[in-house]
Amino acid sequence: MLLRLAWRNIWRNKRRTLITLGMIQFAVVLATLMATIRDGIMNIQVENVVGGYQGYAAINDTGYVEEPSIDYTVPYNDSVQSFLKSKNLIKSYSPRIIGGGIITIGEKFKIGRVVGVNPELEDSLTHFSKSLVKGRVLHSSGEVVLGLGLAERLKADIDSVVFITGMGYQGNTANLMLKVVGIMKLSNIQENKRLAFVTLEEAREGFALYDGVNQIVLGLRDNTKAKQSVKELKKQFTDPVQIYSWNELNVPLYMLVEVNDALNIIVSAMLYFIISFGLFGTILMMLAERKREFGMLIAIGMKKSKLSYITYLENTFMAVFGTALGFVIAIPVVYYLNQNPITLTGRNAEDIAKFGFEPLVKTSMNFNIFMWQAISVLGISLFFSLYPILKIRSMNENKAMKG
Amino acid sequence: MNVVETQNLEKLFIDAGTKVRAVDGVSINVEEGEFTAIVGPSGSGKTTLLNMIGGLDNPTKGKVQVDSVELTELSKNELIDFRLKNIGFVFQSYNLIPVLTAYENVEFVMLLQGRDSKERKARVNELLVAVGIADKAKNRPSKLSGGQQQRVAVARALAPKPKFIIADEPTANLDSKSASTLLDIMQQLNEKERITFLFSTHDQRVIDRARRVVTLTDGKITEDKKVDA
């Protein structure tokens, strides 16, 4: 009966209830959409930057983090390799020698980055063969695969001859002459414009780095738990300070993610602030309208705790119902935008690309976002439900019945 | 046997800085089965006296005993519980729960008492028949006339089998036909089932039917008259 009473009470003023539900629903839709879009966009950027080339974790010298110079190396011997192969947390890995230089084709040149990789290991990590837009992957020394942006800048094509001049290990001069065998489109726009891949042996010879590598990029079983995985790996590795998670290697991006998360909280908080006012207004009106009735109910023997429970139920019903309606609209929209991301064009797209980001609007289907929206609305409703409870506790039934 | 006993009951209000003695030294006993009307002009203290007898208001001084229980010694929660088990209320403006049907309104108090559904059903049906509203059991208050609503209120007051019923100006908002029907019902319940009724009223129709008429003037009993049947 109490449940029935609470439910019917909600509908005694249909228009007000519908307005309140509409407001909760609108805020839930807006907050969910904004949060999932922000999260989705950020995921794309992290995936492009981190998943596409940088990796979610890496082993490199501590000095390399501050100054990514070819002179900072880490061992890549049997012991390291057996460690990498034995750890279940590590799904794949790729050793890299990374040098800088002027990359030239004919009269065209660009300062770029030459990355020496083991093609098979690199492919198992970044699936870079799938990014090929022309040609093939590396098979042997003397070959180079260029980023599409770099290739366009240099007007390179398959079989073009590339000259690379740069600084090798410990002051050696690096001079490489290579034939373009492939052109790949890297998801990270900045890297796409400057990376040239060669075999690890080619890089070792060319940059005179005969021992060790600059970086061993790690692919983790669960990239979403990169921090925890790295923490665990640090405990087991001989030189724990040399294992880094992506957020330590790419502090600006990590900061951006953190700022984005904070912005999500602020925007959601603002929206929920609006809901709070709406809910509180409804509660105040309900209290004023039903003061006499509350007095009568207490007079005929209804315990204040039971009456409080009914008002609590009413507010909770309203919050749950409003949130559920919000999700009924939000989830299909979020799902649609997740499956059919919007590609920005024009000036906006160019501006976004300048920051190295892909101009895509894609939502994230992160369950946590939906869960937090629900928890927030319920939390707010729970908080404001305390007000009628306090009012009822201090209510004098005799005075209340007089209105 | 006395259902209600008050001793030197007093209620003091402060109104715009002035002390107002709404009830002034009232001592009254109400026996089981009485049909008593407390009468007097507006502001004479009728409602205040009934509120104190019903445990809705605390006296400034004096004692109120209902069924030998001293109400002034009960805590607020104990008072609510006491009212639920012992006192039925009929209010001037009906005060039914608008979202419940007539049946549910009557059932509601029994539900608060924790009575089982079988008992509730039998009692509610019996009472709705007694107050002549069985055919309107599924109607909500908004679909009932004033007289019908007040009959539901009487049934609700009777539902928990209280020691007595307090009816504050029960006919004030009713037309004469509805008032007459209501009074017939209450009188029958009083005569057949010996239910004690205590009214506050200045409605002559109620006064004419009362077996005892207590007149209050300026918070004091100025006349206490028993009427022979």
Side-chain angles (χ1 to χ4, degrees):
Chain A
M1 173 81 97
L2 295 183
L3 272 173
R4 206 186 315 158
L5 185 59
W7 178 252
R8 289 188 195 167
N9 277 333
I10 292 173
W11 297 105
R12 61 162 61 185
N13 189 334
K14 283 197 185 85
R15 192 181 296 174
R16 190 181 64 208
T17 299
L18 288 175
I19 290 171
T20 310
L21 286 178
M23 191 175 53
I24 296 173
Q25 184 186 19
F26 177 73
V28 167
V29 171
L30 208 62
T32 308
L33 261 180
M34 290 184 76
T36 51
I37 287 174
R38 279 181 179 281
D39 195 51
I41 290 174
M42 218 14 82
N43 286 347
I44 291 173
Q45 307 322 329
V46 171
E47 184 52 37
N48 284 353
V49 174
V50 179
Y53 170 71
Q54 183 195 294
Y56 283 89
I59 299 172
N60 45 232
D61 190 84
T62 48
Y64 190 83
V65 181
E66 297 295 322
E67 187 198 348
S69 155
I70 196 168
D71 289 341
Y72 293 113
T73 61
V74 286
Y76 180 62
N77 49 31
D78 291 345
S79 140
V80 172
Q81 286 181 50
S82 67
F83 171 82
L84 296 171
K85 283 172 188 164
S86 67
K87 297 299 160 202
N88 194 41
L89 288 169
I90 300 170
K91 188 178 165 192
S92 53
Y93 64 91
S94 174
R96 289 175 184 168
I97 291 172
I98 305 163
I102 299 168
I103 303 168
T104 312
I105 295 180
E107 290 179 351
K108 301 277 180 189
F109 67 91
K110 188 169 187 316
I111 294 172
R113 192 173 274 189
V114 182
V115 186
V117 296
N118 175 319
E120 282 168 22
L121 291 177
E122 184 68 25
D123 200 36
S124 70
L125 180 81
T126 57
H127 312 290
F128 83 153
S129 61
K130 288 181 185 164
S131 307
L132 279 171
V133 289
K134 230 175 191 182
R136 58 168 174 81
V137 292
L138 299 163
H139 287 163
S140 59
S141 294
E143 296 174 348
V144 65
V145 171
L146 300 177
L148 180 63
L150 178 63
E152 283 171 353
R153 171 72 186 263
L154 299 176
K155 299 207 180 301
D157 208 338
I158 303 300
D159 292 335
S160 297
V161 177
V162 175
F163 292 95
I164 298 173
T165 310
M167 184 76 82
Y169 184 62
Q170 291 186 340
N172 284 300
T173 305
N175 286 302
L176 296 92
M177 189 176 81
L178 309 154
K179 190 174 81 176
V180 177
V181 294
I183 294 170
M184 62 193 296
K185 188 181 179 186
L186 289 150
S187 54
N188 181 340
I189 293 168
Q190 293 297 341
E191 304 294 12
N192 198 44
K193 287 179 186 169
R194 67 176 181 184
L195 287 191
F197 289 91
V198 298
T199 61
L200 199 61
E201 294 71 31
E202 180 72 48
R204 207 174 278 295
E205 283 295 323
F207 290 98
L209 203 170
Y210 299 109
D211 192 19
V213 291
N214 296 117
Q215 198 171 46
I216 306 165
V217 180
L218 309 179
L220 302 169
R221 291 263 169 227
D222 186 353
N223 288 329
T224 60
K225 291 178 183 163
K227 274 195 213 172
Q228 295 99 300
S229 302
V230 166
K231 201 173 168 188
E232 197 55 40
L233 288 170
K234 275 178 193 276
K235 287 180 196 164
Q236 300 163 29
F237 194 55
T238 45
D239 200 349
V241 290
Q242 291 184 331
I243 300 189
Y244 292 86
S245 63
W246 74 268
N247 51 297
E248 293 170 298
L249 292 169
N250 197 334
V251 176
L253 182 63
Y254 181 64
M255 293 299 285
L256 199 65
V257 172
E258 292 284 290
V259 168
N260 184 62
D261 288 347
L263 271 173
N264 261 345
I265 292 169
I266 292 167
V267 171
S268 296
M270 282 165 70
L271 282 164
Y272 288 128
F273 195 61
I274 298 167
I275 295 187
S276 305
F277 269 110
L279 260 180
F280 192 54
T282 305
I283 286 168
L284 285 180
M285 277 191 279
M286 178 269 285
L287 277 174
E289 262 177 29
R290 288 163 59 192
K291 191 176 171 189
R292 185 189 284 262
E293 185 182 316
F294 286 170
M296 177 274 293
L297 288 169
I298 300 167
I300 64 171
M302 187 172 201
K303 288 232 166 73
K304 288 182 175 179
S305 54
K306 269 193 181 152
L307 187 53
S308 303
Y309 174 64
I310 288 183
T311 61
Y312 169 81
L313 274 180
E314 288 171 25
N315 293 324
T316 308
F317 273 155
M318 202 109 90
V320 170
F321 203 51
T323 309
L325 282 175
F327 284 149
V328 165
I329 294 177
I331 290 173
V333 176
V334 170
Y335 180 74
Y336 179 81
L337 286 175
N338 177 269
Q339 297 298 307
N340 305 283
I342 299 167
T343 308
L344 298 177
T345 52
R347 182 91 184 263
N348 281 342
E350 286 168 19
D351 289 345
I352 291 169
K354 275 180 197 165
F355 290 99
F357 292 161
E358 206 171 348
L360 262 186
V361 176
K362 184 183 179 182
T363 52
S364 137
M365 289 298 288
N366 185 349
F367 173 74
N368 284 345
I369 293 176
F370 296 100
M371 190 185 71
W372 277 110
Q373 306 298 331
I375 288 174
S376 304
V377 175
L378 282 176
I380 289 166
S381 115
L382 216 109
F383 178 73
F384 284 106
S385 297
L386 292 176
Y387 185 73
I389 291 171
L390 292 174
K391 277 285 183 190
I392 289 166
R393 269 176 72 98
S394 63
M395 185 175 274
N396 177 311
E397 51 271 37
N398 194 28
K399 282 183 186 162
M401 275 197 293
K402 286 175 187 160
Chain B
M1 186 200 166
N2 286 337
V3 179
V4 177
E5 277 182 49
T6 75
Q7 282 173 33
N8 205 22
L9 212 54
E10 239 182 74
K11 183 69 184 180
L12 217 66
F13 288 116
I14 311 259
D15 186 17
T18 313
K19 283 184 181 174
V20 179
R21 213 174 289 272
V23 173
D24 189 2
V26 169
S27 297
I28 185 174
N29 295 337
V30 178
E31 286 182 21
E32 193 181 343
E34 274 192 18
F35 201 68
T36 302
I38 296 173
V39 302
S42 291
S44 59
K46 302 185 297 288
T47 302
T48 309
L49 177 63
L50 284 192
N51 282 344
M52 288 192 289
I53 291 172
L56 293 174
D57 208 351
N58 295 319
T60 313
K61 225 169 114 182
K63 294 192 167 194
V64 193
Q65 280 193 354
V66 173
D67 201 30
S68 305
V69 175
E70 178 52 53
L71 299 193
T72 53
E73 287 172 4
L74 298 179
S75 70
K76 284 184 177 176
N77 263 336
E78 285 170 338
L79 258 180
I80 293 174
D81 209 38
F82 186 82
R83 287 199 299 263
L84 177 66
K85 288 172 184 158
N86 299 286
I87 308 171
F89 289 92
V90 178
F91 304 99
Q92 180 181 336
S93 48
Y94 328 130
N95 279 351
L96 297 177
I97 303 167
V99 293
L100 298 184
T101 62
Y103 182 97
E104 289 165 338
N105 261 287
V106 179
E107 188 190 21
F108 187 70
V109 189
M110 294 181 75
L111 202 91
L112 294 179
Q113 285 186 318
R115 303 280 179 88
D116 67 64
S117 67
K118 207 174 165 185
E119 188 189 352
R120 289 199 313 260
K121 196 176 173 185
R123 178 83 175 143
V124 174
N125 285 328
E126 175 197 330
L127 286 167
L128 288 175
V129 170
V131 298
I133 209 108
D135 58 328
K136 309 277 183 197
K138 287 182 179 169
N139 288 17
R140 289 197 186 181
S142 58
K143 301 280 178 196
L144 298 173
S145 68
Q148 288 168 336
Q149 287 189 53
Q150 199 61 306
R151 280 190 265 163
V152 176
V154 171
R156 179 180 68 183
L158 288 164
K161 296 183 179 170
K163 294 283 179 310
F164 71 104
I165 287 177
I166 287 178
D168 187 12
E169 308 268 9
T171 55
N173 292 342
L174 301 182
D175 59 65
S176 50
K177 195 181 167 196
S178 301
S180 177
T181 311
L182 184 77
L183 287 168
D184 285 344
I185 290 164
M186 291 202 279
Q187 209 166 13
Q188 276 172 26
L189 289 164
N190 170 254
E191 284 166 4
K192 286 183 186 166
E193 298 183 27
R194 286 189 58 75
I195 292 163
T196 312
F197 280 89
L198 192 56
F199 301 93
S200 83
T201 188
H202 41 47
D203 184 341
Q204 195 55 46
R205 293 166 300 190
V206 181
I207 299 166
D208 290 344
R209 300 217 191 190
R211 299 268 179 274
R212 181 183 174 194
V213 179
V214 178
T215 309
L216 272 187
T217 311
D218 294 334
K220 288 182 177 172
I221 296 179
T222 50
E223 194 180 5
D224 189 345
K225 190 172 66 178
K226 289 211 171 165
V227 182
D228 291 330

